Amino acid sequence: MNFDMAGFAVRRWQFTLVAFALLAALGLNAFFSTPRSEDPHFPLPIVIVQAVLPGAEPSEMEQLVVDPIEQALDGLDSVSQIRSTSQDGVGVVDVEFSYDVDPERKYDEVVREVNALRGTLPDGLARLEVRRARTTEVAIVQVALVSDTLPMRRLEKAADRLRERLARVPGVRQARYWGAPSSEVRVSLDLPRLAALQLPASAVADALRARGAEAPVGAVQAGDRRFNVKSGGAFKTLEAVADTPVRSQGGQVVRVRDVAKVEWAEDEPTHLTRFNGKRAVFVTVTQKDGQDVGKITAGIRRALDEQEKTLPAGVKLERAFFQAENVDHRLNNLFRDFAIALGLVLITLLPLGFRAGVVVMMSIPLSLLIGLALLQAFGFTLNQLSIAGFVLALGLLVDDSIVVVENIARRMREGEDRVSAAINGTRQISLAVIGCTAALMLAFLPLMALPGGAGSYVRSLPVTVLVTVAASLLVALTIIPFLASRILSRHEDPEGNALLRAVNNGIQRFYAPVLHVGLARPVLTTAVILGLCLTAIPMARAIGTSLFPPAETPQFLVRIEMPDGTALARTDQALRYVEGALARETEVAWRAGNLGRGNPQIFYNQQQRESSASYAEVYVGLKAWRPGESEKVVARLREAFARYPGARITLVLFENGPPVEAPIEVRFTGENLDVLKAGAARIEQILKATPGARDVSNPLGVDRTDIDLGLDEAKAAALGVPVGAARRVVRLALTGEEAARFRDADGDDYAVKVRLPMDRVGAGDRNDLEILGAVYVPTASGAATPLSALAAPRPVISPARIDRFDRERTVTVSAFLEPGALASAVGGEVETRLKDLAIPPGYRLSFGGQAEAQSESFSGLGAAITVAIFGILAVLVLEFGRFKSALVVAGIIPLGLFGAVSALALTGNSLSFTAVIGIIALMGIEIKNSILLVDFTEQLRREGVPLREAIERAGEVRFLPVLLTSITAIGGLIPLALERSGLYSPLAIAIIGGLVSSTVLSRIATPVLYWLAARGEEKAAA
């Protein structure tokens, strides 16, 4: 017994209304409760291991730390690639797994392997941490506490109090502050006095360590009471530090105050921050997964208002970046586009008449609300891609309802009552409607399985379209027949309203004669249309390919890279130049300067740069991103930055999609660093000479100069210096040694650090070379000997860093693109020029950047296109029962491809990742129109109508529903196309162009192809 869905919905209308009221309520609840975000949140299967080994040079870091970690992690399953960087005292290993794994499980596996390895790593390892890369790890808020006068220790306290308050806001994962050099109690050694007393610097540190030890002494009992015995512990006052005895000599006690100066100070800075050129401390907030950024930000704003009232005098709270403002701006634009698209779609329904238009219009809110409920159930957020998916679906979800209502109205004009017409008309057309919708969904379904980061990024768009279109099918086959049975009137003019009559007259006057001519010369007509479609191939090559466009957010980064070994003060000069250039731009709203480290992460595919004295970064906020105008601001700034000598200053616009360090990357892989350096230099020159490339970076371009202490172990032994004592004293003198802890009245802990006096620092943040001559080393007899007696410091040349890719030494020479240049074109030119480069045996070149990401992403699109084509063919074969009819319907696909490529070329867009997604979606949309024509033709033939007449009648009768469904789809997409968004405008433009060409050309091509395929059958039957 077959279930009659339309009959059940019409006859049991009370149940139908209750069911759809429930679905609509769930949709409304989803609209208000689904988290909103700027970009999709998706799991990243990337784990980062960072190790810090103070004093280790890059080659030692590579051999002792990085290589063992890589070896351990490479044995894990599903490892896609491993990258590592070994620098002075720091090693970072990035391991990326394939995107089909569970990132949480892989993170646990990495933690397990690193913990198992920890015991075999060097003892001096200061830090070894494992962290996951997350799309939600970005700062959703960045504010600054600004003060030029308040001592840094008090400013840091204020930042810490603000951090604690923000961390308590519901939905906040973590709050941190940045740019405050650690405050410390500094014990600045008096070297001449120590030398006179023949005391080594380590003696002061040992005395403070013994005095400040917090180990428990024990416990005693008195009667029934038990008392813990305390002695020493954290220092409470500076006087207590200064009074600590160091040695008793000749009956006199030498105290710390006699050989050192005790005072509050700041640790040698590694990260300093400024806001709009003024000294500041940044405070950032990250959100938990699955939270609404708008709701969290509202709580953060309230907390900021409360905390601002408690700030010390002279401190100003500056509100810089709120991601929620970007989200609101982007989503409000899309909601505006949605409203415009809705109006355009409603206008296209006017030929159906007022009552029929009202019935069809009801499918829009119901389908969208059901789609929203399903989207929330699948765990997706409301972001720019899911909203774009709703706008895209808006022009598609009325198609089924238009076909159903048009068929019901036709049966009513033939004399059936409203209930019978609603049930029978829906039943008659249901198979074709299901086939059309299945073909459309099969075009989008493979997009859900696209591999890699690009697939994860865009997944919410096809899911949104699929759930909304599936909801529209349910609506069209259930509640729409019920509404038609109650609202449509059979007393209306059989010829329709004036607009419908005008359209039908146009069909008779213009379309019918052209179709007649085409059927008279089928071979010539097919050849002309095929030739037209083939022009899409050279056009596609001419416009080129690309991956993802700039995000067009009103923020960007300016990166300042000085030669390795540059002092922090020299890097600061370049940073101030950049800040000055930014201050002169009226469009710049604020600027957050970072000296010695990158800005906290604020975009999901841009990681924060680690500490380096030769690096600085400015995070810049514009008043707004204005297409056409903001690009001019960027161009002016790049021109100004290019004039600064001795630094590589790069302005980086945020881009959508998977993480890509630079658009153009050339990897040179081999073992010998000298060969790699020479090859990288030649690659660098080639990139600089390639049109379209700019800001070329070669990490091995400049060697690093270091100082080898030159210890003579034989002399040290002869002088009675214990093994390792000289290194310890030099490290204490230059870097400092934490000897104890200081605890203030608020309960905050600070380090008590012994080191050389900072007033002996020559460059402001570095120790002078000659300071080594003032260092004394202890001997076994208790005396002290000058370091110069057993060491001869000398300069040595070493690589600034050692990069590895998949466990092989690799130097990556990278470049950014000039405005308007395509990575595919520039990369192709670079590849051509590199063919003349002589590669030594055992070395090889490979390409990263957008070329690698594009290859991975577009390879997935190839599989998606294949699945979509064969899935649609399977539906067509099931519906028509033979290959000829299925191939005739599928023959419309090249027509849409021609229009899509032509539209992209005319609007100056490349064949981007989202444009190709639009072309895949186009296949399902245009197939729907062709199905309606072929299905009606075969109905007429089964009724005994001759072949030629059946083709012509079907073409004329089905022209109107095909025209209406195409125009509604185009109307829904026009606002997206006019949005000038690099992300989804190419998608909309490709579909609009394809629909225009396929709607026009297929009205001739499909009947002609059917005539060529079927006339042989008619002759055989005769």
Side-chain angles (χ1 to χ4, degrees), residues 675-709:
V675 177
L676 291 177
K677 180 181 176 182
R682 294 196 296 271
I683 295 170
E684 180 183 5
Q685 294 303 316
I686 290 173
L687 284 178
K688 286 182 176 179
T690 303
R694 62 170 177 83
D695 298 329
V696 179
S697 172
N698 175 10
L700 295 184
V702 180
D703 282 328
R704 179 186 179 91
T705 302
D706 293 313
I707 300 296
D708 186 345
L709 199 56

Side-chain angles (χ1 to χ4, degrees), residues 759-774:
D759 57 1
R760 295 293 300 273
V761 173
D765 60 353
R766 290 289 187 273
N767 293 299
D768 285 336
L769 179 60
E770 57 267 22
I771 204 69
L772 293 174

